[in-house]
Amino acid sequence: MKLTGAQALIKSLEMQQVEVMFGLPGGAILPVYDPILTSSIRHVLVRHEQGAGHMAEGYAMVTGRPGVAMVTSGPGATNIVTPLSNAYMDSTPLVVVSGQVATGAIGTDAFQECDITGVTMGITKHNWLIKSAEDIPRTVAAAFHVATTGRPGPVLIDVPKDVSNATMEWYWPESEHDLDLPGYHPVTEGDPAAIRRAAELLAAAERPVLYVGGGVLKARAAEAVRALAERTGAPVVTTLMARGAFPDSHPLCLGMPGMHGNYTAVTAMQRCDLLVSLGARFDDRVTGKVDAFAPEATVVHVDIDPAEIGKVRRPEVGIVGDCRQVTEGLVAALGDAAPPDLGAWWDQLRAWQEEYPLYYEEAEGGALRPQAVVEALRDAAPPGTVVVAGVGQHQMWASQWWRFDEPYTWVNSGGAGTMGFAVPAAVGAKVGRPDRTVWAIDGDGCFQMTAQELVTAAAERIPVKVAILNNAYLGMVRQWQEMFYGERYSEVYLSPDLPDYVLWAEAMGCVGIRAESPEDVGPAIEKANAIDDRPVVVDFRTDAFEKVFPMVPAGAPNDDIVVHPDQQGGPR
Amino acid sequence: MTVLPLGAAATAPPAGPRHHILSVLVENKAGVLARVAGLFSRRGFNIYSLAVAPTDEGERLSRITIVVDVESAPLEQVVAQLDKLVNVVTISHMAPAEAVERELLLATVEAGEDRRSQVIQLVGVFGGEVVSVGHDRLTVMLAGRPEKIDDFEGLLEAYPVVELQRTGRVALPKLERPSAPGRGR
């Protein structure tokens, strides 16, 4: 069957069971947009290519399926660089198709030409420039294979315009061998001897901690981790990328560790004698000063990426493999032996939880605490609500104060920390899980970066809900300036009324609601939760001077954790 | 990456454990070298030298020989990160003691009448060749062990050197010597 390159490209995406893609057409990608009209794939037209990228990420993070975005050449492609970089840091499977100028024009500084494969080499798992229409099916199949296997990640396929217009004989690769990836062989099976050794260590540990990272969600290993935790009685911490991978309500759950983790989670890692890392990467936000991290711990590190083992901390047992397969192997290797007696360890953990719970001061007068808003949203949220956050103080409060009991209900930008992630990612998440309520908890600074995608949401009838914790500042930066720069506030004030978020939301086809005092909060949330046919934006006027606690100052050892001033002065 | 300025004296390669040789088999496709170089730059790994050419396998594959400064990063990490590149097929690594290493040098030196025969003698002593003859200059070539090239380069400085190019070392693993009969090991 003879097809044009454009038809072959769309057909290849259909062969990969792509249901939706997010994009914006332009000159170089124009031929590809024609077959979209008769394709089974739903195309969501965005208002900025960065929005397309983050939507694809939000979609991928809640569904586990690769997110797909389509953009044109030049500025269209460079506008999606931030989402690619973001997906690279968080190992999110993304397939971006970018148009490119005709092959004969490449390298001549043609109109809307950009060496996007060169630009994105360092932020994609791999990328391809297709030079002949015949390569299209094989390349698309290879791209999806690379994006979704091993450690997931973003890929980019660059398609020159003449390639889209050329004709080719249709085929679809039969097997992995036809993908022409002689150098790509992810290891998924953990070494049985290493698994046995790790099980021995777990059986003997007196103060173990299971350090659960985003990889557990990628591997769909939540159940296996629960089995391991219950089998050993070990406490579990879930990183910022893994919230919900182990239920917050579970008695064995200590919550989030890291720079803004709770005292018990952070201190448990510092004082443990065995640290079992499952799909986590010893990120600097979690370790604090690396040579002072978990000083008494023997480390077991399970990861599908061999380069992560020993990158930050040399483990006593490193296991390269799929998290689910290895965790199930660990449970099996533990056999019928009685679980170790962790009574003393749990006594200590409960004492810390009692002494230093997550805390904020009740507001006096009409002030609205941002943490209280998060709690109110949480308590009124329908079951299975998906929470999406931007980056900053609001993100930390959302992660700390929400109760995540299910995997794939928390979407945020961890490794890259991309402000403006929330609104488009929420749109993508809602497209992926239309049956769920999706609440974006965003900051006013972040909101202003990508809010235009609410127009996309209104136009496409994607009813997301956005809670802006509007404190009129770039809050996290303001906090650092208060704590470490002697209250010298440089370029952080935004203003609560400019823009008028309610008016702006309504202009974008959403319902706009404002909550200025504690009494406004309940009714605002109720009203928002009742709206199902269009997006809602709630402008919560929150207290500007709240700080996120606890905090481990950057570069400091985790032992230097700073708790809320009201909690200081207690014995450590 | 350390780039020797034109005509400058050679610096001896980092001795002993500081440098390690990676022999990397990669797909012979456009951009692969850029990917490898980009990776090293991005991760802060120092390349001391690099040589690349297609192998004999139907030109589908190329071999890149990289000498890495392992003080900039643990060898294990360098190899693991390199292996993540989709175009990298296999990597073998050798400590200098485990490798057969060779390098080639071309140098144009001042060789007017008063010193021409000295240059030619020097070349002869080292087992090199004169490959180009000019009015006042000679271009000489020497292939051999990197240390021998270093010595030769050092001695050429006297003439002085007008322009110089070294290829960077290529290496393959040393073969096991067959044990001689009747000889204990």
Side-chain angles (χ1 to χ4, degrees):
Chain A
M1 174 173 49
K2 284 245 178 284
L3 293 179
T4 64
Q7 290 167 327
L9 184 51
I10 297 301
K11 192 171 169 71
S12 300
L13 292 174
E14 290 167 358
M15 294 295 286
Q16 289 289 157
Q17 280 138 14
V18 174
E19 291 172 346
V20 61
M21 61 185 179
F22 307 92
L24 197 142
I29 196 74
L30 212 55
V32 182
Y33 266 77
D34 193 81
I36 289 178
L37 284 174
T38 45
S39 171
S40 57
I41 302 176
R42 174 188 181 185
H43 181 283
V44 174
L45 175 64
V46 305
R47 299 306 184 267
H48 189 285
E49 291 91 349
Q50 180 179 359
H54 291 319
M55 283 179 206
E57 289 184 274
Y59 175 88
M61 288 174 96
V62 296
T63 62
R65 312 187 68 233
V68 180
M70 183 169 286
V71 298
T72 192
S73 65
T78 51
N79 276 345
I80 209 164
V81 167
T82 297
L84 282 169
S85 177
N86 193 65
Y88 189 72
M89 290 293 274
D90 287 343
S91 304
T92 305
L94 218 64
V95 177
V96 173
V97 177
S98 58
Q100 179 57 278
V101 303
T103 51
I106 291 176
T108 66
D109 304 311
F111 178 64
Q112 295 197 323
E113 179 187 358
C114 171
D115 174 23
I116 196 65
T117 48
V119 168
T120 58
M121 256 185 206
I123 53 170
T124 49
K125 218 176 143 181
H126 195 61
N127 58 26
W128 291 262
L129 169 63
I130 302 188
K131 300 224 179 107
S132 151
E134 195 198 55
D135 292 332
I136 290 174
R138 175 176 35 249
T139 305
V140 172
F144 274 82
H145 182 67
V146 170
T148 56
T149 56
R151 179 179 187 170
V155 296
L156 179 137
I157 307 173
D158 207 17
V159 188
K161 196 165 183 179
D162 55 336
V163 171
S164 299
N165 282 326
T167 43
M168 51 82 76
E169 183 64 38
W170 170 256
Y171 67 94
W172 186 247
E174 306 269 296
S175 70
E176 237 173 76
H177 183 261
D178 295 331
L179 298 180
D180 189 26
L181 295 167
Y184 182 72
H185 304 287
V187 173
T188 48
E189 296 250 332
D191 170 34
I195 294 176
R196 267 195 309 275
R197 175 93 191 99
E200 282 164 22
L201 289 170
L202 255 174
E206 291 174 356
R207 306 189 307 280
V209 168
L210 301 185
Y211 162 35
V212 169
V216 164
L217 291 176
K218 301 292 191 291
R220 313 198 90 74
E223 266 195 51
V225 168
R226 189 185 183 127
L228 181 66
E230 289 176 353
R231 175 74 183 73
T232 56
V236 179
V237 300
T238 50
T239 66
L240 182 66
M241 293 312 297
R243 306 289 287 122
F246 190 77
D248 276 338
S249 322
H250 195 290
L252 295 177
C253 188
L254 298 186
M256 182 175 79
M259 178 180 266
H260 291 295
N262 68 71
Y263 182 89
T264 308
V266 173
T267 310
M269 292 179 95
Q270 286 300 104
R271 300 277 80 82
C272 71
D273 66 351
L274 179 71
L275 188 67
V276 180
S277 171
L278 303 170
R281 61 181 176 91
F282 293 79
D283 180 64
D284 61 79
R285 302 286 109 163
V286 170
T287 63
K289 189 161 187 285
V290 170
D291 52 21
F293 174 66
E296 301 153 38
T298 298
V299 172
V300 172
H301 192 175
V302 180
D303 204 288
I304 197 159
D305 181 353
E308 289 299 328
I309 313 287
K311 185 184 84 179
V312 173
R313 166 78 171 243
R314 181 160 287 280
E316 276 70 23
V317 180
I319 308 177
V320 178
D322 172 87
C323 234
R324 174 155 57 117
Q325 187 263 343
V326 174
T327 305
E328 287 169 354
L330 276 172
V331 175
L334 284 167
D336 293 320
D341 177 15
L342 302 177
W345 184 218
W346 275 105
D347 286 342
Q348 173 62 277
L349 296 169
R350 298 291 179 219
W352 284 331
Q353 286 177 323
E354 179 93 22
E355 181 94 54
Y356 298 109
L358 274 178
Y359 168 86
Y360 64 94
E361 202 189 336
E362 289 294 314
E364 63 245 3
L368 188 50
R369 294 278 193 243
Q371 303 93 324
V373 174
V374 175
E375 293 204 279
L377 285 164
R378 175 197 71 204
D379 294 339
T385 293
V386 174
V387 184
V388 183
V391 171
Q393 290 183 316
H394 70 277
Q395 172 195 27
M396 293 296 109
W397 286 320
S399 179
Q400 287 177 338
W401 291 99
W402 201 274
R403 201 171 298 112
F404 296 99
D405 285 334
E406 241 186 85
Y408 315 108
T409 53
W410 167 244
V411 175
N412 79 139
S413 167
T418 305
M419 284 177 68
F421 180 77
V423 166
V427 174
K430 182 72 175 171
V431 169
R433 297 305 307 262
D435 54 316
R436 302 288 187 102
T437 299
V438 176
W439 267 104
I441 299 180
D442 209 2
D444 47 311
C446 291
F447 183 82
Q448 293 182 62
M449 291 199 178
T450 51
Q452 83 278 347
E453 298 312 323
L454 285 172
V455 175
T456 307
E460 297 266 345
R461 302 194 196 293
I462 304 168
V464 295
K465 305 182 201 302
V466 184
I468 306 178
L469 301 189
N470 178 7
N471 62 356
Y473 274 92
L474 294 173
M476 189 57 91
V477 181
R478 197 210 65 77
Q479 174 170 336
W480 283 51
Q481 287 173 345
E482 183 185 326
M483 291 174 78
F484 308 117
Y485 284 87
E487 296 175 75
R488 290 158 58 84
Y489 300 119
S490 171
E491 306 300 332
V492 284
Y493 182 67
L494 293 174
S495 154
D497 299 302
L498 180 70
D500 183 325
Y501 295 101
V502 170
L503 267 186
W504 189 6
E506 311 234 308
M508 292 195 282
C510 313
V511 173
I513 303 170
R514 178 164 289 124
E516 290 178 279
S517 64
E519 309 82 68
D520 296 340
V521 172
I525 296 175
E526 206 182 311
K527 182 171 175 196
N529 276 334
I531 295 165
D532 240 341
D533 63 340
R534 70 199 65 194
V536 185
V537 177
V538 186
D539 171 16
F540 291 98
R541 298 296 183 93
T542 56
D543 177 0
F545 296 99
E546 266 304 290
K547 291 190 281 294
V548 185
F549 287 108
M551 178 174 192
V552 177
N558 283 342
D559 292 332
D560 289 358
I561 184 170
V562 177
V563 295
H564 192 284
D566 290 358
Q567 294 176 303
Q568 288 167 16
R572 287 282 188 98
Chain B
M1 178 151 164
T2 316
V3 175
L4 294 177
L6 290 180
T11 34
R18 267 200 71 199
H19 91 264
H20 220 89
I21 305 153
L22 298 178
S23 183
V24 189
L25 209 57
V26 300
E27 293 186 81
N28 184 8
K29 285 186 176 159
V32 175
L33 189 59
R35 293 182 194 274
V36 172
L39 171 72
F40 274 70
S41 157
R42 189 159 66 243
R43 297 269 172 190
F45 305 151
N46 278 339
I47 297 179
Y48 178 73
S49 75
L50 186 150
V52 56
T55 67
D56 57 335
E57 307 201 21
E59 303 234 337
R60 270 196 75 222
L61 301 174
S62 293
R63 186 179 298 281
I64 309 181
T65 304
I66 311 176
V67 179
V68 189
D69 171 5
V70 292
E71 275 203 6
S72 62
L75 180 69
E76 233 171 54
Q77 243 313 274
V78 177
V79 171
Q81 293 291 350
L82 200 48
D83 210 21
K84 275 170 85 163
L85 290 178
V86 169
N87 294 132
V88 167
V89 179
T90 54
I91 307 172
S92 56
H93 59 93
M94 302 163 261
E98 299 159 354
V100 174
E101 297 179 86
R102 294 291 182 270
E103 193 173 351
L104 184 142
L105 167 150
L106 284 177
T108 297
V109 295
E110 294 287 2
E113 261 182 51
D114 57 321
R115 56 186 73 181
R116 176 160 300 210
S117 52
Q118 288 173 34
V119 173
I120 294 171
Q121 265 183 10
L122 182 63
V123 171
V125 162
F126 272 83
E129 266 178 61
V130 173
V131 292
S132 186
V133 178
H135 196 252
D136 286 314
R137 294 174 178 180
L138 291 176
T139 301
V140 302
M141 180 196 81
L142 182 65
R145 292 171 202 267
E147 304 75 41
K148 181 169 138 183
I149 309 282
D150 292 337
D151 292 342
F152 184 60
E153 194 185 338
L155 290 167
L156 281 179
E157 280 311 306
Y159 291 96
V161 168
V162 173
E163 204 166 347
L164 180 146
Q165 174 81 65
R166 286 172 73 154
T167 57
R169 59 191 72 194
V170 291
L172 287 176
K174 252 185 208 157
L175 298 173
E176 281 215 8
R177 241 179 288 214
S179 49
R183 221 150 143 225
R185 274 257 169 152

